[in-house]
PDB file of all heavy atoms in Angstrom:
ATOM      1  N   LYS A  88      32.873  65.711  62.159  1.00 96.00           N
ATOM      2  CA  LYS A  88      33.989  65.271  62.998  1.00 96.00           C
ATOM      3  C   LYS A  88      35.258  65.232  62.166  1.00 96.00           C
ATOM      4  O   LYS A  88      35.280  64.722  61.042  1.00 96.00           O
ATOM      5  CB  LYS A  88      33.701  63.882  63.565  1.00 96.00           C
ATOM      6  CG  LYS A  88      34.833  63.356  64.464  1.00 96.00           C
ATOM      7  CD  LYS A  88      34.414  62.063  65.150  1.00 96.00           C
ATOM      8  CE  LYS A  88      35.591  61.407  65.878  1.00 96.00           C
ATOM      9  NZ  LYS A  88      36.252  62.308  66.843  1.00 96.00           N
ATOM     10  N   VAL A  89      36.332  65.768  62.736  1.00 97.00           N
ATOM     11  CA  VAL A  89      37.612  65.798  62.034  1.00 97.00           C
ATOM     12  C   VAL A  89      38.653  65.063  62.866  1.00 97.00           C
ATOM     13  O   VAL A  89      38.754  65.278  64.074  1.00 97.00           O
ATOM     14  CB  VAL A  89      38.084  67.247  61.798  1.00 97.00           C
ATOM     15  CG1 VAL A  89      39.484  67.260  61.206  1.00 97.00           C
ATOM     16  CG2 VAL A  89      37.106  67.978  60.884  1.00 97.00           C
ATOM     17  N   THR A  90      39.396  64.185  62.227  1.00 96.00           N
ATOM     18  CA  THR A  90      40.451  63.438  62.909  1.00 96.00           C
ATOM     19  C   THR A  90      41.743  63.563  62.126  1.00 96.00           C
ATOM     20  O   THR A  90      41.737  63.483  60.896  1.00 96.00           O
ATOM     21  CB  THR A  90      40.061  61.943  62.983  1.00 96.00           C
ATOM     22  OG1 THR A  90      38.771  61.831  63.566  1.00 96.00           O
ATOM     23  CG2 THR A  90      41.071  61.168  63.824  1.00 96.00           C
ATOM     24  N   GLU A  91      42.831  63.764  62.857  1.00 96.00           N
ATOM     25  CA  GLU A  91      44.122  63.799  62.186  1.00 96.00           C
ATOM     26  C   GLU A  91      44.558  62.370  61.907  1.00 96.00           C
ATOM     27  O   GLU A  91      44.526  61.520  62.792  1.00 96.00           O
ATOM     28  CB  GLU A  91      45.148  64.520  63.067  1.00 96.00           C
ATOM     29  CG  GLU A  91      46.468  64.727  62.354  1.00 96.00           C
ATOM     30  CD  GLU A  91      47.400  65.662  63.117  1.00 96.00           C
ATOM     31  OE1 GLU A  91      47.001  66.189  64.183  1.00 96.00           O
ATOM     32  OE2 GLU A  91      48.534  65.870  62.648  1.00 96.00           O
ATOM     33  N   ILE A  92      44.971  62.139  60.681  1.00 95.00           N
ATOM     34  CA  ILE A  92      45.422  60.806  60.303  1.00 95.00           C
ATOM     35  C   ILE A  92      46.912  60.694  60.565  1.00 95.00           C
ATOM     36  O   ILE A  92      47.684  61.566  60.169  1.00 95.00           O
ATOM     37  CB  ILE A  92      45.138  60.541  58.809  1.00 95.00           C
ATOM     38  CG1 ILE A  92      43.634  60.506  58.563  1.00 95.00           C
ATOM     39  CG2 ILE A  92      45.797  59.242  58.353  1.00 95.00           C
ATOM     40  CD1 ILE A  92      43.259  60.436  57.089  1.00 95.00           C
ATOM     41  N   ASN A  93      47.286  59.637  61.275  1.00 92.00           N
ATOM     42  CA  ASN A  93      48.691  59.450  61.577  1.00 92.00           C
ATOM     43  C   ASN A  93      49.072  58.069  61.064  1.00 92.00           C
ATOM     44  O   ASN A  93      48.966  57.078  61.768  1.00 92.00           O
ATOM     45  CB  ASN A  93      48.894  59.571  63.096  1.00 92.00           C
ATOM     46  CG  ASN A  93      50.357  59.663  63.442  1.00 92.00           C
ATOM     47  OD1 ASN A  93      51.216  59.489  62.573  1.00 92.00           O
ATOM     48  ND2 ASN A  93      50.643  59.928  64.688  1.00 92.00           N
ATOM     49  N   ASN A  94      49.480  58.033  59.825  1.00 92.00           N
ATOM     50  CA  ASN A  94      49.720  56.759  59.158  1.00 92.00           C
ATOM     51  C   ASN A  94      51.052  56.845  58.434  1.00 92.00           C
ATOM     52  O   ASN A  94      51.204  57.612  57.477  1.00 92.00           O
ATOM     53  CB  ASN A  94      48.562  56.515  58.167  1.00 92.00           C
ATOM     54  CG  ASN A  94      48.684  55.188  57.441  1.00 92.00           C
ATOM     55  OD1 ASN A  94      49.649  54.972  56.720  1.00 92.00           O
ATOM     56  ND2 ASN A  94      47.703  54.326  57.617  1.00 92.00           N
ATOM     57  N   SER A  95      52.015  56.077  58.912  1.00 92.00           N
ATOM     58  CA  SER A  95      53.365  56.267  58.393  1.00 92.00           C
ATOM     59  C   SER A  95      53.488  55.829  56.941  1.00 92.00           C
ATOM     60  O   SER A  95      54.279  56.380  56.181  1.00 92.00           O
ATOM     61  CB  SER A  95      54.383  55.540  59.270  1.00 92.00           C
ATOM     62  OG  SER A  95      54.176  54.152  59.198  1.00 92.00           O
ATOM     63  N   ASN A  96      52.682  54.857  56.549  1.00 95.00           N
ATOM     64  CA  ASN A  96      52.704  54.431  55.149  1.00 95.00           C
ATOM     65  C   ASN A  96      52.278  55.597  54.249  1.00 95.00           C
ATOM     66  O   ASN A  96      52.957  55.949  53.274  1.00 95.00           O
ATOM     67  CB  ASN A  96      51.747  53.232  54.975  1.00 95.00           C
ATOM     68  CG  ASN A  96      51.917  52.555  53.624  1.00 95.00           C
ATOM     69  OD1 ASN A  96      52.175  53.213  52.629  1.00 95.00           O
ATOM     70  ND2 ASN A  96      51.758  51.243  53.585  1.00 95.00           N
ATOM     71  N   LEU A  97      51.187  56.223  54.625  1.00 96.00           N
ATOM     72  CA  LEU A  97      50.687  57.371  53.865  1.00 96.00           C
ATOM     73  C   LEU A  97      51.698  58.513  53.835  1.00 96.00           C
ATOM     74  O   LEU A  97      51.997  59.072  52.772  1.00 96.00           O
ATOM     75  CB  LEU A  97      49.371  57.863  54.493  1.00 96.00           C
ATOM     76  CG  LEU A  97      48.750  59.119  53.887  1.00 96.00           C
ATOM     77  CD1 LEU A  97      48.275  58.857  52.460  1.00 96.00           C
ATOM     78  CD2 LEU A  97      47.577  59.617  54.743  1.00 96.00           C
ATOM     79  N   SER A  98      52.229  58.845  55.000  1.00 94.00           N
ATOM     80  CA  SER A  98      53.145  59.991  55.028  1.00 94.00           C
ATOM     81  C   SER A  98      54.430  59.700  54.262  1.00 94.00           C
ATOM     82  O   SER A  98      54.975  60.583  53.587  1.00 94.00           O
ATOM     83  CB  SER A  98      53.437  60.437  56.461  1.00 94.00           C
ATOM     84  OG  SER A  98      54.036  59.397  57.182  1.00 94.00           O
ATOM     85  N   LYS A  99      54.887  58.448  54.328  1.00 95.00           N
ATOM     86  CA  LYS A  99      56.064  58.094  53.536  1.00 95.00           C
ATOM     87  C   LYS A  99      55.774  58.232  52.047  1.00 95.00           C
ATOM     88  O   LYS A  99      56.572  58.766  51.279  1.00 95.00           O
ATOM     89  CB  LYS A  99      56.491  56.645  53.829  1.00 95.00           C
ATOM     90  CG  LYS A  99      57.597  56.549  54.853  1.00 95.00           C
ATOM     91  CD  LYS A  99      57.959  55.069  55.106  1.00 95.00           C
ATOM     92  CE  LYS A  99      58.377  54.874  56.546  1.00 95.00           C
ATOM     93  NZ  LYS A  99      58.175  53.494  57.025  1.00 95.00           N
ATOM     94  N   TYR A 100      54.614  57.715  51.663  1.00 97.00           N
ATOM     95  CA  TYR A 100      54.255  57.775  50.244  1.00 97.00           C
ATOM     96  C   TYR A 100      54.195  59.218  49.759  1.00 97.00           C
ATOM     97  O   TYR A 100      54.771  59.573  48.719  1.00 97.00           O
ATOM     98  CB  TYR A 100      52.904  57.076  49.995  1.00 97.00           C
ATOM     99  CG  TYR A 100      52.505  57.067  48.545  1.00 97.00           C
ATOM    100  CD1 TYR A 100      52.946  56.074  47.681  1.00 97.00           C
ATOM    101  CD2 TYR A 100      51.700  58.083  48.022  1.00 97.00           C
ATOM    102  CE1 TYR A 100      52.596  56.079  46.340  1.00 97.00           C
ATOM    103  CE2 TYR A 100      51.348  58.101  46.677  1.00 97.00           C
ATOM    104  CZ  TYR A 100      51.803  57.092  45.840  1.00 97.00           C
ATOM    105  OH  TYR A 100      51.464  57.108  44.511  1.00 97.00           O
ATOM    106  N   LEU A 101      53.552  60.065  50.529  1.00 97.00           N
ATOM    107  CA  LEU A 101      53.365  61.446  50.071  1.00 97.00           C
ATOM    108  C   LEU A 101      54.630  62.285  50.200  1.00 97.00           C
ATOM    109  O   LEU A 101      54.917  63.133  49.346  1.00 97.00           O
ATOM    110  CB  LEU A 101      52.207  62.104  50.827  1.00 97.00           C
ATOM    111  CG  LEU A 101      50.833  61.503  50.497  1.00 97.00           C
ATOM    112  CD1 LEU A 101      49.755  62.137  51.359  1.00 97.00           C
ATOM    113  CD2 LEU A 101      50.500  61.683  49.015  1.00 97.00           C
ATOM    114  N   THR A 102      55.382  62.062  51.263  1.00 95.00           N
ATOM    115  CA  THR A 102      56.628  62.809  51.416  1.00 95.00           C
ATOM    116  C   THR A 102      57.590  62.481  50.282  1.00 95.00           C
ATOM    117  O   THR A 102      58.336  63.346  49.825  1.00 95.00           O
ATOM    118  CB  THR A 102      57.269  62.491  52.778  1.00 95.00           C
ATOM    119  OG1 THR A 102      56.344  62.838  53.809  1.00 95.00           O
ATOM    120  CG2 THR A 102      58.560  63.264  52.983  1.00 95.00           C
ATOM    121  N   GLY A 103      57.541  61.239  49.828  1.00 95.00           N
ATOM    122  CA  GLY A 103      58.437  60.843  48.757  1.00 95.00           C
ATOM    123  C   GLY A 103      57.873  61.078  47.365  1.00 95.00           C
ATOM    124  O   GLY A 103      58.559  60.860  46.378  1.00 95.00           O
ATOM    125  N   PHE A 104      56.647  61.559  47.307  1.00 96.00           N
ATOM    126  CA  PHE A 104      56.005  61.707  45.996  1.00 96.00           C
ATOM    127  C   PHE A 104      56.680  62.775  45.134  1.00 96.00           C
ATOM    128  O   PHE A 104      56.971  63.874  45.601  1.00 96.00           O
ATOM    129  CB  PHE A 104      54.521  62.066  46.171  1.00 96.00           C
ATOM    130  CG  PHE A 104      53.798  62.235  44.862  1.00 96.00           C
ATOM    131  CD1 PHE A 104      53.402  61.127  44.128  1.00 96.00           C
ATOM    132  CD2 PHE A 104      53.527  63.500  44.362  1.00 96.00           C
ATOM    133  CE1 PHE A 104      52.734  61.277  42.921  1.00 96.00           C
ATOM    134  CE2 PHE A 104      52.860  63.662  43.146  1.00 96.00           C
ATOM    135  CZ  PHE A 104      52.471  62.559  42.429  1.00 96.00           C
ATOM    136  N   LYS A 105      56.942  62.404  43.897  1.00 93.00           N
ATOM    137  CA  LYS A 105      57.506  63.371  42.943  1.00 93.00           C
ATOM    138  C   LYS A 105      56.659  63.317  41.683  1.00 93.00           C
ATOM    139  O   LYS A 105      56.448  62.262  41.113  1.00 93.00           O
ATOM    140  CB  LYS A 105      58.949  63.023  42.599  1.00 93.00           C
ATOM    141  CG  LYS A 105      59.929  63.423  43.683  1.00 93.00           C
ATOM    142  CD  LYS A 105      61.373  63.275  43.218  1.00 93.00           C
ATOM    143  CE  LYS A 105      62.327  63.545  44.382  1.00 93.00           C
ATOM    144  NZ  LYS A 105      62.022  62.679  45.576  1.00 93.00           N
TER     145      LYS A 105
END
Side-chain angles (χ1 to χ4, degrees):
Chain A
K88 180 172 171 55
V89 174
T90 307
E91 187 169 357
I92 294 172
N93 191 352
N94 182 298
S95 65
N96 191 324
L97 176 67
S98 60
K99 263 179 213 155
Y100 182 86
L101 292 176
T102 301
F104 180 78
K105 282 189 186 54

